[in-house]
Amino acid sequence: MPVHNHAYIFKVSNGEIEMVNDDEHKGVVLRALFINNYLYTFSRTEMHVLDENIWELIKKIEFDK
């Protein structure tokens, strides 16, 4: 869930909601997208790739300004 410069990642299981990660960007998070087992989060300045099995940041790419 993009909220300002954060992408909050929640797990929903057995009727309960748990926040599993707070992916913070330098700029406003615009989008989040799942492809296979990875969550990609985008701001105007960065792209982050998180592994959905461990919910950790595995790659950060900074865009040229």
Side-chain angles (χ1 to χ4, degrees), residues 3 5-9 19-25 50 55:
V3 179
N5 66 328
H6 297 264
Y8 296 118
I9 302 159
M19 189 169 84
V20 294
N21 198 324
D22 173 4
D23 180 34
E24 187 172 1
H25 283 248
L50 295 98
W55 294 117

Side-chain angles (χ1 to χ4, degrees), residues 24-61:
E24 187 172 1
H25 283 248
K26 292 180 184 174
V28 174
V29 176
L30 303 170
R31 299 215 185 267
L33 172 71
F34 274 106
I35 300 175
N36 296 325
N37 293 326
Y38 299 96
L39 175 66
Y40 296 79
T41 59
F42 298 88
S43 67
R44 293 188 194 279
T45 59
E46 300 176 297
M47 177 182 80
H48 294 181
V49 182
L50 295 98
D51 183 325
E52 79 168 7
N53 295 303
I54 56 175
W55 294 117
E56 290 185 13
L57 180 67
I58 59 169
K59 185 77 173 175
K60 182 191 307 187
I61 298 171

